[in-house]
Amino acid sequence: PSYLTTEVTVTVKKEGGRFRGDRELTYLASGQVHLQIPLANIEASDIEKINDVYYVTLPPSILSPVIDVNKSRVLGEMAGVFSPNKDGMITEAQQSALPMLVEAACETDFDVDSNRQAAFQLEEIGEKFDVQIQLMTQRPEVCSNQTSASNGR
């Protein structure tokens, strides 16, 4: 998978007491979204035979966003004299960035390679048993509920 980036701003406010202050940290998160199609989860109800063609609907994909801390960095930081310390702000920014990386991945065709790999595996099964397989793939639920077709043998 290719790298995606997203910018996140986290703010911590110091409230109460005589002294108040804010600290703002802007973080550029760089990472990848890995997609796995759990072929082991295919059930009999996911397979339909029409004439001599088996139509296989794959189960929904599992998404795993990962931030590469070596390619990510703090872009900027603003803090007043009485601002709280920044403990935990980078971790909070990274956690906030994970769903944003998934959203960015959904705007691309990041799932095409995984669908090809699944099609290749099922194609090998089809060749072994001399049957034709039509693969029905699903985009991850967080992206959409669209189903697309791709050819297998």
Side-chain angles (χ1 to χ4, degrees), residues 35-75:
L35 182 136
Q36 178 186 13
I37 299 173
L39 294 179
N41 292 352
I42 295 175
E43 298 182 10
S45 61
D46 297 324
I47 302 170
E48 183 179 2
K49 182 180 179 189
I50 300 175
N51 298 323
D52 290 333
V53 178
Y54 289 88
Y55 293 87
V56 179
T57 301
L58 295 178
S61 305
I62 299 169
L63 298 181
S64 302
V66 178
I67 291 177
D68 185 336
V69 294
N70 295 318
K71 294 187 181 211
S72 302
R73 66 185 194 285
V74 173
L75 290 177

Side-chain angles (χ1 to χ4, degrees), residues 1-4 31-35 62-66 98 100-106 110 114:
S2 60
Y3 274 85
L4 302 162
Q32 297 176 314
V33 177
H34 300 277
L35 182 136
I62 299 169
L63 298 181
S64 302
V66 178
L98 291 173
M100 296 170 75
L101 289 175
V102 170
E103 185 178 315
C106 287
F110 78 108
S114 294

